Amino acid sequence: MTNLLYVERSGSIATLVFNRVDKKNSFSLAMFKKLGEILNDLENDQQVKLLILKGADETAFSSGADITEFLENRFSAQKAKDYNDATLESIEKLYRFPKPTIALIKTLAIGGGLELANSCDFRFATSGSKLGITAANIGIIYNLVSTKRLVNLIGITKTKELLYTAKLITAEQGKEIGLIDYIYPMEEIEEKCHEFAHQIIRKSSVANNGIKQVIQAIIDGDNEETKQIEELILDSFSSDDYKEGIQAFLEKRKPNFT
């Protein structure tokens, strides 16, 4: 299992790598559970400022859940509930990961693979990559949480079209409807993704992690600041980042956030 999912580090950037290339990085139930454990570790790692998710090579980001397991792990209502609860728990951890996240999609992101990508803050894709949610091909009703996430990204009508038809669209088509943020050729995407990541990590993590929580509160339906959000904002004024930011401004230099 360690080899199927592993973490690479480059300074304060962690990259979670899907390494089941012979199966186009399809996720077994054990892999979904392991994903949750890795995310817990990275969340608590103070050295990590940003997380990138990607496939080990150009084969795929992920082709989704491993359907060959379904007859054993997902072939009755109770087994389906146990399976869904376990997988959605890890996907929800990714969605609510407290630090900025980027999905780096090469070639393919289908089903649960696209579900993982949609749980990230940003989606980079290689030119011509194929994207889709193919639940209708095997008679599965796509879950509400991930459907809502898709609606938030591309709207109701496009969500219905994508799910009803189970068709695959290109990264270019995905960008037109808001599913993909940036598209680059295969030979450029890693560099461009890391350039973008460095733009983020050079800024205050106190600010960016807090901004992520504020935006999430808005997505969750809050129209006014809760006590938790109010405290989060006020606490930032006593942070080391705030002191460094003010001092750098006064000294007319770039801040060095630690």
Side-chain angles (χ1 to χ4, degrees):
M1 182 56 58
T2 302
N3 292 331
L4 298 182
L5 294 172
Y6 63 87
V7 176
E8 297 176 337
R9 295 170 184 269
S10 176
S12 55
I13 298 174
T15 300
L16 176 54
V17 181
F18 309 152
N19 187 33
R20 200 187 187 195
V21 295
D22 58 319
K23 300 287 187 180
K24 295 184 178 179
N25 296 329
S26 64
F27 264 65
S28 65
L29 179 58
M31 288 173 68
F32 274 115
K33 291 179 178 179
K34 184 64 177 179
L35 172 65
E37 296 173 9
I38 293 173
L39 290 172
N40 284 338
D41 291 341
L42 293 174
E43 178 177 341
N44 294 322
D45 190 334
Q46 298 301 311
Q47 299 300 315
V48 175
K49 289 188 175 184
L50 182 144
L51 175 62
I52 297 173
L53 284 75
K54 69 171 189 174
D57 64 11
E58 300 177 1
T59 304
F61 177 75
S62 171
S63 59
D66 185 353
I67 297 177
T68 64
E69 288 190 334
F70 285 10
L71 289 179
E72 179 180 352
N73 294 333
R74 212 178 186 187
F75 204 61
S76 69
Q78 185 56 52
K79 283 189 173 182
K81 184 180 187 309
D82 293 341
Y83 182 99
N84 292 348
D85 287 349
T87 56
L88 288 175
E89 180 181 354
S90 291
I91 292 170
E92 188 71 10
K93 282 182 181 178
L94 174 59
Y95 180 62
R96 296 186 181 275
F97 191 73
K99 306 168 188 181
T101 53
I102 303 173
L104 199 167
I105 299 169
K106 294 180 180 178
T107 309
L108 197 69
I110 297 176
L114 187 56
E115 201 169 351
L116 289 168
N118 290 346
S119 299
C120 294
D121 296 322
F122 305 98
R123 280 156 297 285
F124 281 62
T126 53
S127 307
S129 290
K130 299 294 185 181
L131 318 166
I133 304 290
T134 55
N137 283 341
I138 56 173
I140 289 177
I141 299 174
Y142 198 48
N143 69 83
L144 187 145
V145 171
S146 297
T147 302
K148 184 176 186 296
R149 217 158 278 165
L150 195 57
V151 169
N152 288 341
L153 286 172
I154 66 176
I156 292 173
T157 302
K158 288 299 181 183
T159 295
K160 288 180 177 179
E161 181 180 344
L162 208 60
L163 296 181
Y164 287 177
T165 65
K167 67 182 179 180
L168 301 185
I169 63 174
T170 65
E172 287 76 11
Q173 291 170 316
K175 191 173 188 297
E176 288 178 3
I177 61 176
L179 190 59
I180 296 298
D181 299 301
Y182 298 98
I183 299 174
Y184 292 102
M186 185 72 73
E187 62 271 17
E188 295 181 15
I189 193 166
E190 293 263 0
E191 179 183 356
K192 295 297 185 181
C193 181
H194 277 266
E195 285 178 0
F196 182 79
H198 279 279
Q199 288 182 43
I200 294 173
I201 64 172
R202 282 196 292 266
K203 306 304 178 182
S204 163
S205 289
V206 170
N208 284 340
N209 296 352
I211 288 166
K212 182 165 184 175
Q213 290 189 51
V214 170
I215 292 173
Q216 188 59 57
I218 294 169
I219 294 171
D220 290 340
D222 291 345
N223 294 314
E224 297 180 0
E225 289 180 5
T226 63
K227 186 66 175 176
Q228 179 182 1
I229 292 296
E230 181 184 26
E231 290 177 355
L232 180 73
I233 293 170
L234 293 178
D235 284 348
S236 70
F237 287 92
S238 58
S239 69
D240 290 339
D241 276 10
Y242 178 68
K243 296 171 186 175
E244 169 61 14
I246 293 297
Q247 193 65 33
F249 177 84
L250 294 174
E251 295 173 4
K252 296 182 180 180
R253 60 174 174 82
K254 292 182 178 181
N256 180 26
F257 296 116
T258 59

